[in-house]
Every structure is written in structure tokens, then in C-alpha cells.
Amino acid sequence: MRSGGLTALKERGELELAGDAHAVTPALREWYAEGDEEELEYVAFTRAAQAALRLLRRAPHAPRRRVVVSVDVPQGAVRGTDQELGSSAVRLAEAVPLDAVAAIHVDDSDAESDVEAATRVVEEALAGDPDAQFTVDGAEDHELAWYDVSELDELTT
């Protein structure tokens, strides 16, 4: 499997993010006050995986696998983009160096058909269409595999 973003990470040694990222934000903490840190991180992660569907929709020739890169960056490198209660949307102020990557999460090949179907209807699901949401849920039923950053070569071949 080859992913343009992961290839760029390998070649340049940094991850340039096009668009928003997701993180545990004050708005998310307020919305999910009973959640512990791990639960809040999972919510942000799940939203990042759904955002990956939207990115795939705009990249018709990319492999039909979601990719989520987890990074550890200083608080000052993150800018909130949405103050709506429960939002996890953020923007990173600059490219993320390779040594800040904590893990890489990628769909296995068995998820490709469900991910492809979900990319076609993700916008409709976000707009509230229950049939489209059912299709997106089918992709979300697939857990993303966890890779250490040291496995980047394997992910880009």
C-alpha cells in the first residue's frame, strides 16, 4: 500500500497537514465531561478517521484505506478552529517532524470495499442521511491497524 502523505513523511522527514486535524480540545472536554483522557483521545481519533474518508473522496486514485497519524506536539503548536461544543477540530501551526509521530494507523486490505463505499457517501452522512451513515458505520466497524513509526518503510512500499 502506498500513501502520498506517508511517502512525503518518509522522504521529507515531516508531515505537512493539508486541512484540519483532530485533538482533545477544551470544547471536547466540556462536551464529554465524564470521559477520561483515553476516551477523549478515542473520540478525537474516530473523528480523524472519518475526516480521512473525506480526504479519500477528494483523492480518487489513492488506495481506499484510511490513514490516521497520531502525533505528540506542544500545546502551542495547535490552534483551535471550531469552538462548537464537542468539537475536536484543530489546525497545526506548522509541519510535524518525524520524531513527533507517535503512531500510524491504517486500514487493512479487508476494509477497502467498505471504505470505498463510505467515501462515496460521507458528506451525505455528515448532513444527516441515515442510509449514508449506515454505510459510513460499515467502514468505521473496521479497526485501523497500529504501526510504529519505525515501520514507515513497510507502509510506503
Side-chain angles (χ1 to χ4, degrees):
M1 176 208 43
R2 197 163 180 77
S3 170
L6 293 180
T7 301
L9 174 62
K10 177 183 167 186
E11 292 172 356
R12 294 186 195 128
E14 64 182 19
L15 183 63
E16 291 189 36
L17 299 173
D20 290 334
H22 292 270
V24 177
T25 62
L28 180 59
R29 284 185 195 284
E30 184 179 344
W31 172 74
Y32 195 34
E34 71 278 0
D36 64 22
E37 193 68 20
E38 189 172 307
E39 290 171 314
L40 292 167
E41 289 172 356
Y42 186 75
V43 170
F45 176 84
T46 301
R47 291 178 181 171
Q50 189 172 57
L53 290 173
R54 297 175 82 190
L55 290 174
L56 285 171
R57 183 178 178 138
R58 295 189 297 260
H61 301 296
R64 301 288 104 182
R65 297 186 189 185
R66 298 166 296 166
V67 175
V68 175
V69 179
S70 297
V71 301
D72 292 320
V73 295
Q75 179 114 13
V78 178
R79 309 267 191 279
T81 61
D82 185 355
Q83 302 305 315
E84 182 177 326
L85 186 62
S87 175
S88 62
V90 297
R91 185 170 299 274
L92 295 172
E94 55 192 40
V96 176
L98 182 59
D99 64 359
V101 174
I104 302 167
H105 312 271
V106 182
D107 273 313
D108 288 325
S109 61
D110 65 339
E112 287 182 1
S113 62
D114 288 335
V115 170
E116 170 61 27
T119 61
R120 289 192 300 261
V121 299
V122 66
E123 297 297 335
E124 291 85 350
L126 290 169
D129 181 316
D131 292 330
Q133 185 60 54
F134 181 79
T135 301
V136 169
D137 289 345
E140 291 177 352
D141 285 343
H142 296 274
E143 291 289 327
L144 280 75
W146 182 95
Y147 294 90
D148 185 79
V149 70
S150 66
E151 298 174 280
L152 186 57
D153 285 342
E154 297 166 34
L155 291 169
T156 57
T157 56

